[in-house]
Amino acid sequence: MKTEQVAKIKKRLISLRDEILKVIEWRDAPGGTNGAMDEIDQANELIEKEMGFVMSNNMRANLKEVEEALARIEKKHYGKCLHCGEEISLKRLDVLPFARYCVPCQEKMESRSR
Ligand SMILES: [Zn+2]
C-alpha cells in the first residue's frame, strides 16, 4: 500500500477515534447528556457515515478496533489480513478503515459463528 494512502486512512482513523471518544465522554459524563445531544447526534452521524453501519452501544469495542488499526499503521502492518496475511483490498479499507481481515477470511469467520 502506498504511503500516502496509509496517511490518508490514518487521518480518518484519528478523527474517527476522536469522535468516538467524544461520544463516550458525553455518555459517561455526570448528569447525562443534557445539552450535548445535538453534538452527540452530529458525532454519531459522522461515525455512522465513516463506518458504513449504524453503531450500537458498543462504542468502546469500536474504539478498540480503531486504536488497533492505528497501532498496525505504526508497526507498518496495516492493510494485511490478520488471518491469512494477504493484503486487504483498498476498496474494503475505504469502507472499513479498521478492517482486520480480508473479505474471504471475514466471510469464513462469519459463516462459522452463525
Ligand atoms: Zn485473509
Side-chain angles (χ1 to χ4, degrees):
M1 193 183 289
K2 287 186 195 128
T3 318
E4 67 253 34
Q5 286 167 335
V6 177
K8 225 170 109 188
I9 291 173
K10 187 178 173 182
K11 247 173 115 178
R12 276 179 62 192
L13 284 166
I14 288 171
S15 63
L16 199 55
R17 183 186 59 186
D18 289 347
E19 294 299 326
I20 294 173
L21 279 172
K22 251 192 251 175
V23 174
I24 289 175
E25 269 173 37
W26 277 323
R27 285 193 179 165
D28 291 353
T33 53
N34 290 342
M37 279 317 285
D38 284 353
E39 282 183 83
I40 291 182
D41 282 348
Q42 277 170 22
N44 270 330
E45 225 170 87
L46 186 139
I47 292 164
E48 280 167 19
K49 211 177 84 203
E50 273 294 318
M51 294 193 168
F53 61 88
V54 177
M55 299 248 294
S56 59
N57 285 321
N58 221 353
M59 283 282 176
R60 283 181 199 281
N62 292 118
L63 179 66
K64 199 167 158 259
E65 292 199 19
V66 172
E67 282 181 339
E68 279 175 7
L70 283 167
R72 287 199 294 278
I73 289 175
E74 293 306 318
K75 290 182 194 150
K76 312 257 185 264
H77 288 164
Y78 184 75
K80 290 209 170 62
C81 173
L82 293 187
H83 187 71
C84 68
E86 291 291 320
E87 293 217 0
I88 302 171
S89 73
L90 260 182
K91 219 176 118 192
R92 173 160 169 79
L93 290 172
D94 201 43
V95 178
L96 208 66
F98 48 85
R100 274 185 270 192
Y101 306 106
C102 63
V103 176
C105 288
Q106 182 78 49
E107 280 174 357
K108 257 182 259 168
M109 276 174 234
E110 279 171 10
S111 65
R112 207 180 303 156
S113 67
R114 231 171 261 152

